[in-house]
Amino acid sequence: MKTSRAIRLLPVLAALLSAEYTPSPANLEARRWFQEARFGLFIHWGVYSVLGDGEWVMNNRKISIAEYEKLLPQFNPVKFDAAEWVRLAKDAGMRYITITSKHHDGFAMWDSRVSTWDIADRTPYKKDILKMLADECHKQGVKLFFYHSHLDWHHPDYYPRGRTGHNTGRPEAGDWYRYLDYMDAQIRELLTGYGPIAGIWFDGWWDRPKADWRLRQTYDLIHSLQPAALIGNNHHQPPFEGEDFQMFEKDLPGQNTAGFNAEAKIGALPLETCETINRAWGYNQSDHQYKSTRDLIHYLVRAAGHNANFLLNVGPRPDGAIQPEFVQRLRDMGVWLRANGESIYGTTQGPIPPRDWGVTTRKGNRVYVHVLKLEDDVLGLPKLPSKVARATRLNGGPVAFTENNLGILLQLPLAARDAHDTIVALDLQ
Ligand code: H79
């Protein structure tokens, strides 16, 4: 093709790539599954786990690539047991797992053919973690997402640099588009060698918000390889064309307590919020500030009341074990969900928006009132779309109530409250 013709075709190509994205029927079906799933396990695990100081340690301690690479002989997770991890997620009532295929340090947790910066080529362990986990997820009926960092502190072609990773000692030159080709090649590996993948959870876009990330090309590649794969991107912006769900880091949708989500207006896609058990994503050996099971259940319930899934994180130890403080909380949440899951799974946000006292969820004609924090014996609710035929405690007896043209009054004696969440099922006429 002559250059002039190619140049004339550029705007056409650009228009095609920015064209409206029409999700496939399989993708829409996967979104429905996702929204009903409501609870997933986030796993941050990589070479950084060796230092026990979180997944940002390379950046935060200004570690050069040469120094960081010395950690590799120590990353030998002989206690890793994929079956046990998947079993734990299931016991917690989680329906999917999202694991770091690559975090900001660029290290691949699978046997990549386009790089030797990976677990199979560079550690004594040698095995493909993602393959073992994918096989086990498929066996046990848990869906698997990959967290994949756009940002890369290790790759020489990640240039010009962004806001982070300035002290890893890379040459001051590099070919950005060659880096994007590398990323697409890795994405292709993840979507062709590991069976059905539920989706890709991107992060790190914010390192270079002005860069040409060629996102649509990557998104189209993913959807062409696996149409049902759900794409989300933690760019803290309203959803981009080609994405299938929207996530909020450390915040319920619409809130901005963490400071990342000022511009993340809620779009029309399925929602997810992620949070840590202590304060770290990757393993942090000195962080003992664990949220209580009660706090975590409240987060799950409030997420459901915001129409969002809850993706709860663990950072396994470098030897492959998940610490007992995490395991205990996950198991306790599973116990709670086995008794109360009807009011979470398969629900949508209820007719009353989230309140200080709690939230509502809904399934068909049934509204679940989740009372999390209420000092009085009674709760007043505004009128619902139709009259209340019956009010019962989930797994319990009738709840006394009155309804008039102003609204509904529920009697909820303090002495008869549930330890975590007093759930009243209202059956509408
Ligand atoms: O993987 C976990 C974190 O490592 C990752 N997302 C979760 C799921 C994460 N990376 N960064 N952050 C979370 C927050 C980063 C905030 C900052 Fe910045 C990076 C503050 C300063 C540099 C981005 C760029 C926000 C402001 C400037």
Side-chain angles (χ1 to χ4, degrees), residues 134-171:
D135 288 348
E136 201 52 53
C137 280
H138 294 135
K139 199 161 129 193
Q140 295 195 41
V142 169
K143 300 224 188 207
L144 183 65
F145 290 71
F146 293 132
Y147 166 110
H148 205 77
S149 174
H150 289 303
L151 160 59
D152 195 311
W153 295 327
H154 185 270
H155 201 289
D157 284 322
Y158 190 91
Y159 189 89
R161 305 276 132 72
R163 291 160 147 168
T164 65
H166 291 275
N167 301 290
T168 66
R170 284 171 289 177

Side-chain angles (χ1 to χ4, degrees), residues 252-392:
L252 294 165
Q255 301 187 341
N256 185 30
T257 59
F260 311 138
N261 297 319
E263 288 154 58
K265 301 278 174 289
I266 303 175
L269 299 176
L271 306 174
E272 183 192 67
T273 171
C274 55
E275 188 45 289
T276 51
I277 293 181
N278 48 9
R279 291 183 304 175
W281 297 100
Y283 177 57
N284 187 319
Q285 60 190 0
S286 56
D287 181 350
H288 306 297
Q289 297 207 32
Y290 305 108
K291 295 173 186 70
S292 64
T293 299
R294 179 185 160 82
D295 287 342
L296 296 170
I297 289 171
H298 282 200
Y299 208 87
L300 171 68
V301 170
R302 286 200 185 272
H306 280 79
N307 223 16
N309 290 7
F310 184 31
L311 183 63
L312 179 59
N313 182 74
V314 298
R317 289 175 171 151
D319 64 3
I322 298 178
Q323 63 189 85
E325 294 86 353
F326 293 164
V327 171
Q328 190 58 51
R329 282 162 179 77
L330 294 184
R331 290 200 197 291
D332 290 346
M333 290 184 83
V335 169
W336 184 85
L337 270 164
R338 280 191 284 284
N340 301 287
E342 176 198 326
S343 68
I344 303 289
Y345 301 119
T347 63
T348 54
Q349 176 171 45
I352 302 166
R355 297 290 185 228
D356 217 35
W357 53 258
V359 295
T360 58
T361 56
R362 171 174 201 155
K363 201 186 287 171
N365 254 354
R366 185 166 253 215
V367 173
Y368 300 96
V369 182
H370 296 264
V371 182
L372 302 174
K373 200 180 111 188
L374 184 70
E375 283 79 12
D376 301 311
D377 285 334
V378 288
L379 175 65
L381 300 174
K383 282 212 297 193
L384 296 176
S386 46
K387 284 196 71 165
V388 174
R390 209 158 59 104
T392 43

Side-chain angles (χ1 to χ4, degrees), residues 75 107-110 118-123 125-127 129:
F75 192 55
F107 187 77
M109 293 294 278
W110 77 99
D118 72 45
I119 184 143
D121 290 325
R122 297 290 290 274
T123 72
Y125 190 65
K126 290 193 171 64
K127 287 185 254 182
I129 294 284

